[in-house]
């Protein structure tokens, strides 16, 4: 298996590299977020092991940039940030697993091998389709009835989350955390504003009812009519 380790602590990096090499795996390393993103997007890996607090580019920003390109390489976050809010944040950002430091290599190895096996059995999906909507993740293009929609970055992320959870009621809290990446303030109307903008663009193409408002619960993107 080919692994990319993004870790700025040299002692931890050397320890992990030694362990995986002894198990017969191939592993490359990066000591900062920028270098890690370059390597992750320029080569094919079976697994990315990612620290959170990195120089150059924060680990979650690296992960968000990677997922925005449609890259679905399994990511195991390895971080000293152990609070449940931090773990949830890492998983919501696109991480497939989250381990905290200090750690036992034996556990890291088992988790890594399970993620790599999962990655081999599930080919990367580079587009989403819900009814008349289609989203190309690699090119970040969105079409509705084959007509291109011009979306702002937050509108794109908001719609992506709704498409990934099509026909499910998604709360405003979940949308806010997924797209804006910080705690939801119930007094803000930023989600309503962005939903309204998306609806207007859908209405222009005759699909104003594609996003439903579920009173007191959130929003639902309809799969069919």
């Amino acid at each position: 298996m080919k692994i990319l380790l993004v870790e700025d602590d040299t002692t931890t990096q050397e320890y992990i590299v030694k362990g995986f090499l002894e198990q017969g795996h191939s592993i490359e390393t990066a000591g900062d977020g920028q270098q890690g993103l370059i390597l992750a997007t320029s080569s094919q890996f079976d697994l990315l092991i990612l620290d959170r607090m990195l120089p150059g580019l924060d680990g979650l920003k690296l992960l968000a940039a990677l997922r925005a390109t449609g890259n679905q390489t399994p990511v195991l976050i390895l971080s000293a940030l152990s609070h449940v809010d931090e773990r949830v944040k890492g998983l919501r950002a696109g991480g497939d697993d989250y381990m905290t430091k200090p750690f036992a290599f034996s556990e890291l190895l088992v988790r890594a091998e399970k993620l790599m096996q999962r990655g081999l059995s599930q080919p990367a999906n580079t587009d989403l389709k819900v009814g008349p909507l289609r989203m190309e993740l690699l090119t970040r293009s969105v079409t509705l009835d084959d007509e291109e929609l011009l979306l702002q970055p937050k509108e794109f992320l908001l719609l992506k989350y709704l498409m990934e959870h099509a026909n499910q009621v998604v709360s405003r809290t979940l949308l806010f955390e997924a797209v804006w990446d910080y705690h939801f303030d119930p007094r803000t109307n930023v989600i309503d504003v962005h939903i309204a903008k998306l609806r207007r663009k859908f209405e222009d193409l005759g699909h104003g009812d594609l996003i439903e408002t579920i009173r007191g619960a959130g929003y639902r993107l309809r799969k069919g009519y």
Side-chain angles (χ1 to χ4, degrees), residues 30-192:
D32 63 70
Q34 291 284 4
Q35 183 189 11
L37 181 59
I38 292 170
L39 285 174
T41 53
S42 60
S43 298
Q44 186 72 35
F45 293 95
D46 300 302
L47 176 70
L48 172 61
I49 299 176
L50 178 66
D51 189 16
R52 282 280 307 272
M53 296 179 289
L54 293 166
L57 183 67
D58 173 77
L60 291 193
K61 290 181 180 178
L62 187 162
L63 180 53
L66 189 67
R67 293 299 190 231
T69 68
N71 188 313
Q72 296 300 313
T73 300
V75 173
L76 191 161
I77 298 171
L78 184 63
S79 175
L81 299 174
S82 59
H83 193 276
V84 64
D85 286 349
E86 298 297 341
R87 299 200 302 272
V88 169
K89 190 182 294 185
L91 295 172
R92 287 201 187 284
D96 298 279
D97 199 356
Y98 196 112
M99 280 188 67
T100 58
K101 301 175 182 177
F103 63 95
F105 180 78
S106 57
E107 182 183 0
L108 176 64
L109 177 64
V110 170
R111 291 190 186 216
E113 290 181 338
K114 285 186 176 295
L115 285 178
M116 287 188 283
Q117 291 167 5
R118 187 195 307 173
L120 289 173
S121 63
Q122 294 180 350
N125 183 24
T126 59
D127 62 81
L128 299 170
K129 188 171 183 181
V130 177
L133 268 174
R134 180 162 184 170
M135 177 178 284
E136 296 283 349
L137 298 175
L138 292 176
T139 60
R140 295 179 70 84
S141 66
V142 179
T143 56
L144 178 58
D145 281 341
D146 297 322
E147 295 286 336
E148 186 173 7
L149 291 174
L150 299 179
L151 302 182
Q152 297 297 317
K154 293 300 185 187
E155 293 171 358
F156 179 90
L157 292 174
L158 189 62
L159 181 59
K160 177 175 178 287
Y161 194 85
L162 288 171
M163 292 179 73
E164 288 171 341
H165 300 83
N167 261 11
Q168 300 176 30
V169 178
V170 182
S171 71
R172 296 170 75 243
T173 299
L174 286 177
L175 285 172
F176 196 84
E177 289 182 353
V179 177
W180 281 268
D181 195 30
Y182 47 89
H183 290 297
F184 177 67
D185 181 352
R187 296 168 296 178
T188 183
N189 69 340
V190 65
I191 293 174
D192 307 295

